[in-house]
Amino acid sequence: MLDIKFIRENADLVKENIKRKFQDKKLPLVDEVIELDAKIRELKLKGDVLRKERNDSSSQIGLLMREKKVEEANAIKAKVVEINKELASIEPEVEELSKVLREK
């Protein structure tokens, strides 16, 4: 099995090697793997951004509660709930795409 980083950085070399072995039917796999990898990386980045936003919001909620600004804190709590829902939809998708990537 080839390392995904190697495939990502050397797609042409991988394709060339496949051609030399007369396994042309496997050529589309290289593009599929690169595409899956890009999608996974994009989703992971989005998840990281959302986690950071959630953590920052949670800190802000604590500060607002100490200052007795309950309404503002509740508004941010609602935002955190939405972030959690979005994260809950991203994480299974990343797992599924990672599984497909490993299989290919």
Side-chain angles (χ1 to χ4, degrees):
M1 177 167 29
L2 294 173
D3 181 45
I4 188 65
K5 184 178 178 186
F6 180 80
I7 295 172
R8 188 183 318 128
E9 294 173 354
N10 303 292
D12 292 334
L13 181 65
V14 172
K15 287 180 182 180
E16 222 175 276
N17 197 25
I18 290 171
K19 287 178 186 176
R20 269 191 265 135
K21 293 180 181 181
F22 302 105
Q23 297 178 344
D24 291 354
K25 63 183 177 187
K26 292 184 179 179
L27 284 173
L29 279 176
V30 176
D31 293 329
E32 289 175 26
V33 165
I34 291 171
E35 206 173 290
L36 278 171
D37 178 57
K39 178 108 173 129
I40 291 167
R41 290 166 52 104
E42 177 185 321
L43 287 171
K44 283 183 177 181
L45 178 63
K46 186 176 181 181
D48 290 345
V49 168
L50 287 171
R51 277 187 214 67
K52 182 183 181 333
E53 188 177 339
R54 179 183 62 191
N55 292 343
D56 292 345
S57 295
S58 295
S59 298
Q60 195 175 10
I61 290 170
L63 291 173
L64 290 170
M65 293 301 276
R66 275 185 237 124
E67 295 173 2
K68 308 283 188 214
K69 297 180 180 177
V70 178
E71 288 181 27
E72 290 178 43
N74 287 336
I76 295 174
K77 282 181 185 178
K79 180 179 163 188
V80 169
V81 168
E82 292 301 315
I83 290 171
N84 286 336
K85 286 179 186 176
E86 196 168 349
L87 278 171
S89 70
I90 289 174
E91 290 168 352
E93 188 175 356
V94 169
E95 287 179 31
E96 181 63 32
L97 290 174
S98 295
K99 180 182 171 188
V100 171
L101 180 65
R102 281 189 302 275
E103 289 172 0
K104 291 191 184 247

